[in-house]
């Protein structure tokens, strides 16, 4: 949703929604750009501080758990600089032995990350290996400076599966392929971070004639289900998450806010 022109495939909030409730970090990057956790944290932090200073509550919404983790634990942003030599070696490794060779190398370097990363995305695999094999000294962990309640909505598996399937069909019915065609015509690369994401990658393959529309829909459903499984695994092991049913959102949030307000009272 940070990318301009990527509306259908990201279920971006409508203009009406954004008029009713202020939204931030929507349409802040071009699809040709890379938007990473470092940029997210440095853009989001001053916004969150401003909202808090006005006595309001921020709601950070999204499924990219590492972004949330780094927002709450900013010492994790001690940057591991790109290693051009290592990247060339990994590219040659992929050329010789395929993407599974990158997966195996990451499994040796960082088994936990290998279990949750998108193993079909060579760019992310290369970066994960780069970080795992870096000898950089990282800062010691520090206490989070933000009071945050982390909620993960946990619908029944069959409900989630049906929602994923319904959402995939809606994306294509609402014009995902045409949206992708426009992005390509305006210069977005098929290899960019934006267009390798779920849905857009399959739409681009349809435009290129490598997939039929039905094949693209089915592959999008499969990749989304795989992504959902990785999300569930990641959140269970990486963040202090409160897992709640869809019907418990208001009750859980209200209880937390009341507790926080009582603690702040003189």
């Amino acid at each position: 949703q940070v990318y301009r022109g990527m509306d259908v495939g990201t279920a971006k909030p409508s203009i009406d929604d954004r008029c009713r409730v202020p939204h931030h970090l929507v349409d802040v990057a071009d699809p040709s750009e890379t938007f990473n956790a470092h940029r997210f944290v440095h853009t989001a932090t001053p916004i969150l501080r401003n909202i808090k200073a006005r006595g309001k509550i921020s709601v950070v919404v999204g499924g990219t758990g590492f972004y949330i983790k780094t927002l709450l634990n900013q010492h994790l942003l001690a940057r591991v600089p790109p290693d051009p030599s290592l990247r060339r070696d990994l590219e040659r490794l992929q050329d010789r032995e395929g993407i599974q060779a990158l997966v195996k190398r990451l499994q040796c370097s960082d088994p936990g990350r290998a279990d949750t990363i998108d193993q079909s995305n060579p760019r992310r695999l290369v970066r994960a290996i780069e970080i795992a094999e870096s000898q950089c000294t990282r800062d010691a962990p520090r206490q989070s400076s933000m009071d945050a309640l982390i909620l993960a909505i946990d619908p029944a598996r069959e409900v989630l599966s049906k929602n994923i399937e319904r959402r995939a069909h809606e994306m294509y019915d609402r014009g995902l392929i045409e949206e992708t065609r426009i992005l390509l015509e305006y210069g977005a690369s098929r290899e960019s971070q934006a267009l390798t994401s779920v849905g857009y990658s399959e739409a681009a393959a349809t435009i290129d004639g490598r997939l039929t529309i039905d094949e693209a829909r089915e592959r999008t459903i499969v990749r989304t289900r795989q992504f959902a499984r990785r999300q569930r695994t990641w959140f269970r092991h990486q963040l202090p998450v409160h897992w709640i049913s869809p019907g418990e959102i208001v009750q859980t949030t209200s209880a937390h806010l009341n507790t926080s307000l009582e603690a702040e009272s003189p």
Side-chain angles (χ1 to χ4, degrees), residues 31-239:
S32 57
E33 298 179 65
T34 296
F35 195 95
N36 54 28
H38 190 273
R39 183 173 173 184
F40 168 73
V41 169
H42 283 279
T43 307
T45 298
I47 295 172
L48 294 171
R49 288 173 178 164
N50 178 269
I51 293 171
K52 184 176 182 180
R54 290 187 280 112
K56 303 295 184 180
I57 300 295
S58 306
V59 181
V60 179
V61 182
T64 308
F66 183 67
Y67 281 35
I68 298 171
K69 186 174 182 179
T70 51
L71 183 65
L72 297 175
N73 304 275
Q74 295 189 19
H75 64 276
L76 295 173
L77 287 177
R79 295 304 304 270
V80 174
D83 185 336
S85 177
L86 175 59
R87 290 189 176 191
R88 285 193 296 269
D89 290 343
L90 294 174
E91 288 169 1
R92 286 194 287 266
L93 176 63
Q94 183 187 354
D95 290 340
R96 290 195 314 270
E97 303 178 32
I99 196 170
Q100 278 304 310
L102 298 181
V103 174
K104 290 179 181 178
R105 182 151 171 173
L106 181 59
Q107 287 171 337
C108 293
S109 304
D110 187 346
R113 181 65 173 147
D115 288 341
T116 58
I117 198 171
D118 181 356
Q119 296 184 357
S120 66
N121 190 319
R123 178 184 56 79
R124 293 186 178 177
L125 286 167
V126 167
R127 181 57 179 159
I129 294 169
E130 194 171 51
I131 293 172
E133 297 185 3
S134 169
Q135 297 303 310
C136 292
T137 301
R138 290 178 174 263
D139 294 339
R142 292 191 286 270
Q143 184 71 24
S144 170
S145 60
M146 297 186 186
D147 175 28
L149 171 67
I150 306 176
L151 302 177
I153 302 172
D154 191 23
R157 296 293 180 92
E158 61 274 13
V159 173
L160 177 60
S161 181
K162 289 179 180 178
N163 286 345
I164 288 171
E165 185 172 348
R166 174 183 53 77
R167 168 68 186 138
H169 285 291
E170 286 179 357
M171 287 163 54
Y172 286 90
D173 292 344
R174 290 180 54 206
L176 176 63
I177 293 176
E178 184 57 29
E179 181 173 87
T180 304
R181 194 189 311 277
I182 292 171
L183 292 169
L184 291 168
E185 289 175 353
Y186 276 86
S189 168
R190 287 166 172 77
E191 289 73 42
S192 66
Q193 179 184 20
L195 290 192
T196 56
S197 58
V198 177
Y200 287 100
S201 175
E202 289 73 29
T206 302
I207 292 169
D208 295 342
R210 292 180 284 117
L211 292 176
T212 66
I213 293 179
D214 287 342
E215 289 170 339
R217 288 176 191 260
E218 186 57 34
R219 186 172 296 185
T220 299
I221 292 169
V222 170
R223 286 188 66 199
T224 306
R225 286 173 176 159
Q226 292 170 341
F227 182 66
R229 284 196 294 271
R230 289 195 300 272
Q231 279 182 313
R232 187 184 295 268
T233 299
W234 197 95
F235 276 108
R236 287 192 185 282
H237 292 91
Q238 296 289 333
L239 287 172

Side-chain angles (χ1 to χ4, degrees), residues 11-29:
K12 190 175 292 180
S14 67
I15 298 298
D16 286 344
D17 288 337
R18 283 180 262 176
C19 288
R20 289 170 52 233
V21 179
H23 286 68
H24 303 273
L25 271 65
V26 174
D27 293 337
V28 296

